[in-house]
Amino acid sequence: MKKLLALLIAMVMVFGLVACGGGKEDTSKESEAEEVADDTTEEVADDSAEEDADEPADEPAEGGKTYKIGVTIYQYSDNFMTLYRNELEKYFGELGEADGNTYEVEFQDGKNDQNTQNDQLNNFIAQKKDLIIANLVETTGADQFLKDAQEANIPVVLINREPKEISTMEIWPGKTTYVGVDARQSGIYQGEIIADTPNKGDINGDGVVNYIMIMGDAGNVDAEQRTEFSVKTLEKSIKTEILGEAQRGNWDQTKGQEITANALTQYGDQVEVVFSNNDGMAMGAMQAIEGAGRVVNEDIYLVGVDALPEVVEAIGEGKFTGTVLNDHFNQSHTAAEIAVKLLNGEDVEPYYWHDYVKVTKAEDSELSRKDWRAESIEEYQARLAEYED
Ligand code: GAL
């Protein structure tokens, strides 16, 4: 993972990761998460010192406590969630080294099947885990599990797949939380990346950008909002028209390849832009584009989300127009730090947000992150409102 981080950092420097506005300090959502992160780290250190002095440990491990954490990931074969999972595991290890506690983290593969995942969640409850981290298969199906967890007195940190109703659901106040990113922001960045190309995506100069859209799974907030906001954003600069209908590749590279190959056969040179809800599917699109003898950034544009290391590399080689970093480092770190807070018996907020970051080969552009960034929550909401009908 160090290699990965180093690669991303190198890419930031070499290709001008468009992270203007400084990011961390100026966003209400992010600074919330950062603050918690900072607080947590301090508190973790303080608490462990106190515990060492006053309390006998449950199960001594270098003077600390042992906590049992159950994590279920919606699908191990998902490449972004693999980065996330590995980082989460590694970071719990680091937190334990720092605070003297032992975080026994059990990971399970939900195999993209809610029944399988329900069994895992029920097992975690039966095993009396101290905390559960859930990356739900079906984001609409969280109610029963959350009730059961509350009954068993087990706090829950939800990650990555945002339950639509968390704001209206009867959640256990202070003990249920979601850590993630605002999917609208990633869609806006995708639209901006295309709007920022020399011809705004209009390769043939007819005043209309013809595009195809490759989507994630049905009912997924990321899939819906990236689809909507990428196009809405590009529409602010130029007219757009979809070729055929948006198609579901369910985050999968092979499906992204098939969808793009079919579209290129059917529509040929008409395809000017390929929008993909994630990099996995966009990598498939890249293969199809190469297979059809088309050249990215010359006669077609391609944009994804996640900033997988291989995609950041492809951007450097000019095989990809751009992507948007789905910051699994900060998201997984916040999830772990919030978990530690909960394990310490503290209450937490219902949501913790991080930022996406635009990744292109270009230098800083006018349509940059600082346009999205805001000094206050009011400004941030006003910016969002521009995109709401
Ligand atoms: C998104 C990510 C996708 C996929 C999806 C799973 O945030 O961009 O690559 O991992 O989550 O729900």
Side-chain angles (χ1 to χ4, degrees):
M1 290 312 290
K2 280 225 174 77
K3 261 196 190 158
L4 212 168
L5 182 58
L7 177 65
L8 275 168
I9 291 169
M11 291 304 177
V12 170
M13 296 186 322
V14 176
F15 303 122
L17 213 145
V18 187
C20 23
K24 306 283 178 200
E25 305 79 35
D26 59 355
T27 164
S28 40
K29 278 183 173 180
E30 178 145 329
S31 50
E32 228 175 64
E34 288 274 309
E35 258 170 42
V36 171
D38 291 349
D39 288 0
T40 311
T41 315
E42 280 161 27
E43 279 160 21
V44 169
D46 292 353
D47 287 358
S48 65
E50 273 167 33
E51 278 155 15
D52 285 352
D54 313 329
E55 274 179 45
D58 286 354
E59 290 171 38
E62 293 179 10
K65 290 185 173 183
T66 296
Y67 293 108
K68 292 188 170 51
I69 300 168
V71 183
T72 167
I73 300 294
Y74 96 99
Q75 174 165 231
Y76 274 15
S77 62
D78 180 296
N79 41 20
F80 170 73
M81 282 315 297
T82 301
L83 295 177
Y84 193 123
R85 170 165 55 96
N86 291 339
E87 187 60 27
L88 185 64
E89 187 169 21
K90 182 180 135 231
Y91 194 63
F92 266 119
E94 287 175 15
L95 287 178
E97 273 171 33
D99 66 14
N101 291 325
T102 302
Y103 299 103
E104 273 181 17
V105 190
E106 180 185 338
F107 283 89
Q108 293 283 342
D109 180 0
K111 300 192 173 144
N112 205 20
D113 180 72
Q114 193 56 59
N115 290 331
T116 301
Q117 191 172 54
N118 285 343
D119 289 346
Q120 295 165 352
L121 292 166
N122 291 335
N123 279 342
F124 287 159
I125 292 174
Q127 292 163 5
K128 300 194 183 353
K129 297 284 188 203
D130 296 303
L131 182 126
I132 294 173
I133 298 182
N135 174 219
L136 295 169
V137 174
E138 282 170 20
T139 47
T140 46
D143 293 70
Q144 190 54 47
F145 152 62
L146 290 176
K147 276 184 203 133
D148 293 346
Q150 177 172 5
E151 222 155 83
N153 214 21
I154 303 174
V156 175
V157 178
L158 298 164
I159 55 166
N160 167 258
R161 289 164 71 89
E162 184 182 344
K164 280 189 191 153
E165 297 90 357
I166 198 168
S167 51
T168 54
M169 276 178 344
E170 277 183 44
I171 59 163
W172 186 13
K175 305 294 181 192
T176 307
T177 186
Y178 174 75
V179 178
V181 268
D182 186 332
R184 291 171 295 190
Q185 192 188 26
S186 53
I188 289 170
Y189 283 171
Q190 287 191 296
E192 288 180 355
I193 287 169
I194 300 302
D196 251 4
T197 61
N199 47 17
K200 301 187 167 78
D202 184 14
I203 304 254
N204 60 19
D206 67 353
V208 181
V209 175
N210 287 109
Y211 68 94
I212 63 164
M213 178 68 72
I214 315 174
M215 290 184 75
D217 58 329
N220 183 294
V221 174
D222 290 345
E224 284 171 4
Q225 297 194 334
R226 288 173 191 167
T227 299
E228 179 184 346
F229 284 85
S230 55
V231 174
K232 251 186 190 172
T233 303
L234 183 55
E235 283 272 351
K236 286 179 170 240
S237 303
I238 188 163
K239 274 175 82 172
T240 70
E241 211 173 295
I242 190 164
L243 294 163
E245 282 178 6
Q247 302 217 35
R248 295 209 179 272
N250 295 338
W251 311 114
D252 180 73
Q253 179 163 349
T254 310
K255 295 210 182 82
Q257 197 265 336
E258 284 165 11
I259 290 168
T260 312
N262 289 341
L264 291 174
T265 306
Q266 190 173 356
Y267 302 109
D269 288 350
Q270 279 179 277
V271 185
E272 296 173 294
V273 173
V274 178
F275 280 114
S276 174
N277 284 173
N278 81 339
D279 279 354
M281 299 184 293
M283 285 195 301
M286 184 176 79
Q287 293 170 311
I289 287 168
E290 283 175 359
R294 302 283 295 272
V295 183
V296 169
N297 293 340
E298 283 182 27
D299 60 28
I300 194 164
Y301 292 110
L302 172 63
V303 63
V305 175
D306 282 340
L308 298 178
E310 39 287 51
V311 167
V312 177
E313 217 173 304
I315 291 172
E317 293 163 3
K319 293 181 185 165
F320 233 86
T321 309
T323 185
V324 182
L325 172 69
N326 192 356
D327 184 351
H328 65 277
F329 295 103
N330 276 311
Q331 289 179 72
S332 60
H333 292 195
T334 298
E337 284 161 358
I338 294 303
V340 169
K341 259 182 174 273
L342 287 161
L343 291 167
N344 285 338
E346 290 173 47
D347 280 357
V348 299
E349 301 294 324
Y351 284 102
Y352 293 92
W353 299 105
H354 279 288
D355 265 307
Y356 284 101
V357 183
K358 225 191 279 182
V359 184
T360 68
K361 205 174 175 177
E363 288 305 308
D364 198 347
S365 66
E366 251 181 85
L367 281 168
S368 64
R369 192 168 189 239
K370 62 176 169 281
D371 293 327
W372 168 268
R373 312 303 307 138
E375 295 298 324
S376 64
I377 186 76
E378 289 78 19
E379 232 184 284
Y380 175 81
Q381 280 161 348
R383 170 122 169 84
L384 264 183
E386 280 179 40
Y387 290 88
E388 307 283 5
D389 287 325

